[in-house]
Amino acid sequence: MRFAKYALLACASALAIGWGTAISTQWWLAPKRAAVIDITDPALIARGEYVARAGDCVACHTVPGGAPFAGGLGLQTPMGTIYATNITPDPETGIGSYGYGDFERAVRQGVRPDGAHLYPAMPYASYRVVSDADMQALFAYFMSSVTPVSKENQPTTIPWPASMRWPLAWWNMLFSSPRDFTPPEGADEVITRGAYLVEGLAHCGACHTPRGLAYEEKALSEDAAGLFLSGSVLEGWYAKNLRNEDTGLATWSEAELVTFLKTGRNDRTAAFGSMSDVVEHSLQHLTDADLTAIARYLKSLTPREGREEWRPNEDLTTATLRAGDFTAPGALTYVEHCTACHRLDGMGAPQVYPALKGNSMVFADDPSSLIQITLAGGRMPETPAHPMAFVMPGFAHLTNADLAELMTYIRNSWGNHASPVTEADIARMRHEIANKPIHYAPEAGR
């Protein structure tokens, strides 16, 4: 009995010490950075708007059809939904009462003025390397040019105790410690600029780098193991491998990559899912110089050993289909449902209907994106270069067996070669789609 009492007391003491230490970390590890920012400076505001575009802030903090930056967009996690917060300068429900130090601490360290920690769905681990100049411009833009919206934040659906915020201090110390941007060794100015954008403002790793058991990105910059930007699954989408290797970007030229970033499509493929939002809200607004810098940096990432090159097999599919031979498993379903857009040769129509032949999304290591877009459909981004946003219908009415056969066929035709898709894969994605978060949080007014 006495031992149990001491054990309980020890546990309570350890918990109290842990809690006290955790909530104090933001003060003893990283003091608040005070600065006087002229939020009426037109040049600074314009620069801040560009930085906000590069950071894609509007995409995550705006519900479809809602006021910009007013929050409410749901992010699906394995434990529940996290809703983006209101970051308009409304003093009651937004960030209108923030000083620059509060703002900088929230964006770079993930800590609110009241000491509460933000969930790491907010990519502050990436924003750690954003320069002071960009951070100050961002503050000027938000405080002077964004329209205030009174809208309460939506609480997370993650159940207690996983929803507690104070343990995130320990998460931050383990996975988001203070760091400065370090240019890649031997890189020129263009690649250095690209690395800064990719690692920091554009936070590409938040979606494209695999995560560990604690939801941490396994690498926040180029690493010896080549995990950085090596592809990851988020909300049921496979965020493509962006390394310059086999199923990554090895088959893409720098020009093709720039075209994709600027317009959301090229002769090979088209953006879909959340990447469509990234192009529409962010990338299309960047300068050609910055898009080239991003593309050149990504193409500079070295392939991992054994993954240098992807070679297509001989295309035997086109001739077989043109001869009217639809006996291969999945072939008849393809002809009935897909050929009108993607054609018998799997080449689609450049800039309109994505090719399936040689499309690295199709033969990606993880078929999640192919499965989700086939089930639920997708929409291309709308840009000045392509104001007509084509929509692909979903084919959820087909059986799991038919879809598994169809996608296995597509992943292994016209020279493509990849692992098969199973009925269990289809069933798992149907469940994922059925449990997507509802984004629309109630708006109190503008």
Side-chain angles (χ1 to χ4, degrees), residues 249-254 256-257 260 266 268-269 299 360:
L249 297 175
T251 58
W252 291 37
S253 69
E254 179 182 299
E256 287 176 324
L257 186 49
F260 178 81
N266 58 26
R268 296 177 181 274
T269 191
K299 290 291 289 180
S360 52

Side-chain angles (χ1 to χ4, degrees), residues 13 20 23 48 77 107 117 137 161 173 185 205-206 228 249 257 265 289 309 351 358 376 403 406:
S13 299
I23 64 170
T77 78
V107 176
H117 288 76
M173 284 194 287
E185 188 175 349
F228 185 53
L249 297 175
L257 186 49
R265 49 185 105 168
E309 190 176 5
Q351 309 287 330
L403 287 166
L406 170 64

Side-chain angles (χ1 to χ4, degrees), residues 225-239:
L227 292 170
F228 185 53
L229 302 177
S230 61
S232 182
V233 176
L234 201 66
E235 296 192 295
W237 294 106
Y238 176 66

Side-chain angles (χ1 to χ4, degrees), residues 238 364-372 407 411 419-421 425:
Y238 176 66
D365 300 341
D366 188 309
S368 293
S369 290
L370 180 66
I371 298 172
Q372 183 161 182
M407 280 177 261
R411 277 165 64 84
S419 60
V421 174
D425 293 331

